[in-house]
Amino acid sequence: MKTTKLILILILFSTSLFAENDSELWLRKKATTQVNIQCSKSSPTIDIAINELKNSWQGEDGANIELKIIKDKQLKADGFRLSRTGIQAKTDAGLLYGVFEILRRQQTGGSITGDIVNPSYDLRLLNHWDNLNGSVERGYAGRSIFWRGIDSLEVTSGDLNLWKEYARANASVGINATVLNNVNASPSVLTTPVLERAKAVADVLRPYGIKTYLAVNFASPEVIGGLETADPFDPAVKAWWKEKVKEIYTLIPDFGGFLVKANSEGQPGPQNFGRNHADGANMMAEALEPYNGIVMWRAFVYDPSDEDRAKQAYNEFMPLDGQFHDNVIIQVKNGPIDFQPREPFSPLFGAMKKTTVMPELQVTMEYLGQSVHLVFLATMWEEFLKSETWQEGAGSTVARCTDGSIFNQKYSAIAGVANIGLDANWCGHDFAQANWYAFGRQAWDHSISSAQIADEWLKLTFGPQNIDKETSSYDLEWNLSFLQPVKQMMLNSHEATVNYMMPLGLHHIFSAHAHYGPGPWWAPRGMRADWTPPYYHQADSLGIGFDRTASGSDAISQYHEPLAGQLADLNTCPEVYLLWFHHVSWDHKMKNNRTLWNELCYRYDEGVKQVREFQQVWDKAERFVDAERFAAVQHKLTEQGMNAQEWKDACLLYFQQFSKQPIPYELERPLFNLDELLERDRQRVRRSR
Ligand code: GCV
């Protein structure tokens, strides 16, 4: 009897049903066998590579593996060549990436076939919107891992350990660069004590192949430099930046460069001095150039003018194409507005042919349910990267327009706004870790499928620990009853959120500035129109949607033919973007023959049903997940279900005032009434003030 109990306990242990420390992210598997490693070179990076192999090896027991630096024209700087007997790379970092790739394949069932693996982008960056006081703008996972206040800059052993774990996680998915602070940058970031802390971070990240960058405030020469101007043409200003850059490189010899948000949402920039974006960016680029540093200059600009917000970045940057130095990269958000649940790609991709352009994605889910909703972003990014721009004929996808394969550019880069904070699980929601993982994997290989990423991440993060032959039936069951349904849930999750928040091309209909709950009505008196939902949905008695055709704002003309023509025609515009580009009558016949109003109702209803199904999927998965993570995700899914209902009811009841049509009777009726929802919203807005 006693022995049976003991065996049972051992089995339970071996199948990982006990609470796990989810701070280990997707790196929780420990070695099950031994490996012998040869390498004729030694360096901090190679030492890390060797340790990783030893600590997580799951291959043949006693295998011999050689790590070797080689010269090979087929390999990019970070690329590597894998074989059963070893890894070859041009750089130490390449060897480290190769090690993580072998380990991933061992743990997820991939094969090792002597292939060459090169990254899609040279620079694969995280952007942290972390403030020096420790808060994180649009951060939903606790306070900053880098900063805790300007009076608390000393580096503790806790900091060093945390930064090392962070670096390891990034390296494991190929992320090789990070911007330590918010693009709404405090000028203080360039003061010496703060730079010294940045140096401490850089020292920890370096052996993991990660370069450090800073976001800088354009007015820094005035604010902390004591100059009377920050005019980029002023010799004293130029000299100030050169001196500052020199100081930074003395502390951080491999410093990457600057990220700049200028003349956007109140941030200072060259336009304050009658100069343009190229003048500002080039001045900084000149200071960084001797050190091979770069400037990532953001194109996220819009004014409260009469011009459609979606057109403004293109209007402002296209005339400057060709005027930027070759160490300037224009960083463009995936869509023309602002990380909405679904946007068409920004027309700047592929259009700026003489300037390097990089995509900016948002890993933190400001507009997608933050750290409450389960939304796997890889499908959205895949859709974006594979979007056809037509700029250089068929095959000019956003990915190819930015990775250097179409345009002759010195660098290729992609950035993701991080979702990382001090929370024990780093990202606030256990499944939000998958988005950090996915960003790295897609930045490394933009052709990888979302399904593969979800598959890998689930196996690594929730897969049974230490499966051996005797427990392999558990393995099979895990595959069928956990992996397959949960993966499908992840793959459907973005579309579900679009359905219950903003289907058919609706966008920016959030309440207030928290960007969480529904607020299609939200338009306080005196508020800038382009910060209010009615500006975006334009609902009236005739229909709904933003007319961006030639009879409206004509934003469609910023796209290349034949795409522009396709978008302009109501009959060929993809329905997922319908209300983004057209003001459409409530009775418009959709492809499935429903009227627009009915289809809108169906989509909202579908979104709610999808989340309810996700709850079922997760509940059925209980026996495969440790209690702590199971309960945390279950709890969040319940809240997501309630939020989805609120979104559906709020949007349908509000828009119904314009459509004056019933919600199709076969659909579930709203659970809230509009007055109740408006009152809840008022209270929420009041509380957030
Ligand atoms: C960092 C949106 C966000 C802001 C963010 C800005 C940007 O407007 O709401 O918090 O500021 O984008 O990307 O600069």
Side-chain angles (χ1 to χ4, degrees), residues 569-590:
D569 182 342
L570 205 53
N571 297 311
T572 52
C573 179
E575 288 186 341
V576 291
Y577 301 131
L578 194 64
L579 306 180
W580 186 285
F581 290 113
H582 295 269
H583 189 72
V584 184
S585 108
W586 295 112
D587 293 325
H588 168 79
K589 274 267 177 315
M590 303 292 289

Side-chain angles (χ1 to χ4, degrees), residues 376-549:
F376 181 52
L377 299 175
T379 49
M380 177 173 77
W381 296 332
E382 186 177 350
E383 178 178 300
F384 159 70
L385 289 165
K386 292 185 177 159
S387 294
E388 178 60 272
T389 72
W390 292 101
Q391 287 286 349
E392 295 291 311
S396 324
T397 57
V398 169
R400 295 193 63 244
C401 287
T402 50
D403 70 0
S405 56
I406 293 186
F407 300 113
N408 182 18
Q409 53 195 64
K410 193 164 168 191
Y411 303 95
S412 64
I414 186 165
V417 179
N419 62 349
I420 296 161
L422 279 178
D423 274 9
N425 72 358
W426 297 88
C427 302
H429 191 309
D430 288 309
F431 276 76
Q433 296 179 354
N435 293 330
W436 178 6
Y437 182 88
F439 169 72
R441 297 289 288 132
Q442 285 178 328
W444 180 278
D445 176 2
H446 59 46
S447 68
I448 192 174
S449 74
S450 305
Q452 184 184 331
I453 299 173
D455 192 271
E456 286 176 7
W457 180 78
L458 281 168
K459 284 175 176 162
L460 296 169
T461 309
F462 285 104
Q465 295 269 28
N466 307 328
I467 284 294
D468 60 29
K469 305 231 162 33
E470 279 146 52
T471 55
S472 64
S473 68
Y474 180 89
D475 202 7
L476 194 71
E477 223 195 313
W478 185 85
N479 241 292
L480 277 176
S481 310
F482 181 87
L483 179 65
Q484 299 311 330
V486 176
K487 181 166 47 174
Q488 203 50 54
M489 167 176 80
M490 289 173 76
L491 294 174
N492 293 345
S493 60
H494 171 250
E495 203 62 52
T497 303
V498 170
N499 281 336
Y500 65 72
M501 282 189 185
M502 296 174 214
L504 301 175
L506 284 174
H507 50 290
H508 228 312
I509 56 174
F510 296 91
S511 170
H513 301 298
H515 299 161
Y516 186 78
W521 50 75
W522 191 73
R525 206 171 312 132
M527 177 66 63
R528 259 174 76 161
D530 60 342
W531 282 349
T532 70
Y535 171 91
Y536 297 98
H537 63 65
Q538 304 270 323
D540 58 24
S541 62
L542 301 176
I544 182 171
F546 199 122
D547 184 1
R548 294 193 162 106
T549 66

Side-chain angles (χ1 to χ4, degrees), residues 128-137 142-154 159 163 179-199 201 212-217 220 223-224 422:
H128 288 264
W129 285 357
D130 295 18
N131 298 310
L132 299 184
N133 68 7
S135 63
V136 180
E137 182 155 351
R143 304 206 32 106
S144 169
I145 61 167
F146 298 120
W147 312 104
R148 57 174 161 264
I150 200 96
D151 300 323
S152 184
L153 293 168
E154 79 284 5
D159 289 334
W163 298 339
V179 183
L180 303 183
N181 63 304
N182 192 356
V183 288
N184 289 327
S186 162
S188 306
V189 79
L190 291 178
T191 57
T192 305
V194 177
L195 289 176
E196 275 163 359
R197 188 169 165 91
K199 171 202 161 42
V201 179
T212 298
Y213 294 70
L214 293 172
V216 296
N217 185 300
S220 301
V223 186
I224 60 161
L422 279 178

